[in-house]
Amino acid sequence: MKTIRWLALMACVLPISVQAGPPAPSRDSMSHQLEVAGVVKTRLTLTVADLRKMAPASDGELAVTRQNGDQAEIITSYKGVRLRDILDRAVLDAPGHNDAKKLAIVASATDGYTVVFSWGELYNSPAGDSVVVYFEKNGKPLDESDGEIALISARDIRTGPRHVKWLNRIAVRKLAD
């Protein structure tokens, strides 16, 4: 009984911190441009206006699911550009016959969140058609919760783990021989 009273007393005097999820994103997290660098012949810095000038990729409803399978949100529509088209514009620097097959494409956000794609996924698989750098969601430009630029791999079974909000960098890296 003493233990219960002691715990009740401690609960009254100790500070309790309750957080209902991650902190709301701030304007500081916004991604205003996308840098493409690494093993490319042409470094790129793209804004939403630049992306709008490229061949469009859009799709209908998409459920964004977390790693554990829970639904995070429903995107009714999105508009952007295939990641593969952005990489083609930067021109992968892979002169040897098998060099491209040794490339990893790393997409990063302003908050440090990072995901990885292989060259094979983007160029030798139907999944590459649905890896999209997007700037509109549900008929509107992206806001602070997504940044001005985001990325999603729409054909993943669980789309959330490779849903990059506040996308600001694509780095092409050569894997070690």
Side-chain angles (χ1 to χ4, degrees):
M1 193 67 168
K2 283 184 177 182
T3 303
I4 294 172
R5 279 191 224 138
W6 184 82
L7 288 173
L9 176 64
M10 293 309 291
C12 292
V13 295
L14 290 176
I16 296 174
S17 174
V18 177
Q19 189 172 356
S26 69
R27 186 97 180 123
D28 297 337
S29 297
M30 289 289 281
S31 49
H32 303 289
Q33 60 187 23
L34 174 62
E35 177 188 7
V36 182
V39 185
V40 294
K41 292 183 179 179
T42 307
R43 278 181 78 120
L44 301 175
T45 301
L46 303 169
T47 63
V48 171
D50 297 324
L51 293 170
R52 286 185 185 281
K53 294 175 188 172
M54 296 179 70
S58 59
D59 211 343
E61 190 169 294
L62 170 67
V64 179
T65 53
R66 295 185 176 97
Q67 187 170 342
N68 65 6
D70 291 346
Q71 184 174 299
E73 70 174 308
I74 294 285
I75 298 174
T76 57
S77 65
Y78 58 95
K79 189 183 294 183
V81 177
R82 283 183 190 85
L83 175 57
R84 185 176 56 220
D85 293 342
I86 293 170
L87 295 172
D88 287 348
R89 187 168 174 188
V91 185
L92 300 175
D93 191 6
H97 176 69
N98 290 313
D99 289 349
K101 299 170 195 167
K102 299 175 187 175
L103 297 178
I105 294 81
V106 182
S108 302
T110 58
D111 66 351
Y113 191 76
T114 301
V115 302
V116 178
F117 297 91
S118 69
W119 173 89
E121 279 182 282
L122 298 176
Y123 286 90
N124 198 30
S125 163
D129 292 336
S130 295
V131 179
V132 176
V133 173
Y134 68 100
F135 44 81
E136 281 186 21
K137 177 173 86 171
N138 303 332
K140 298 177 183 173
L142 299 183
D143 59 19
E144 290 179 9
S145 66
D146 292 302
E148 288 182 16
I149 304 168
L151 176 143
I152 193 142
S153 183
R155 288 207 183 141
D156 284 359
I157 293 168
R158 289 188 167 92
T159 53
R162 291 203 293 185
H163 180 203
V164 183
K165 298 178 178 187
W166 315 312
L167 179 69
N168 72 331
R169 182 171 170 80
I170 302 293
V172 180
R173 297 184 183 158
K174 183 178 179 186
L175 301 176
D177 286 325

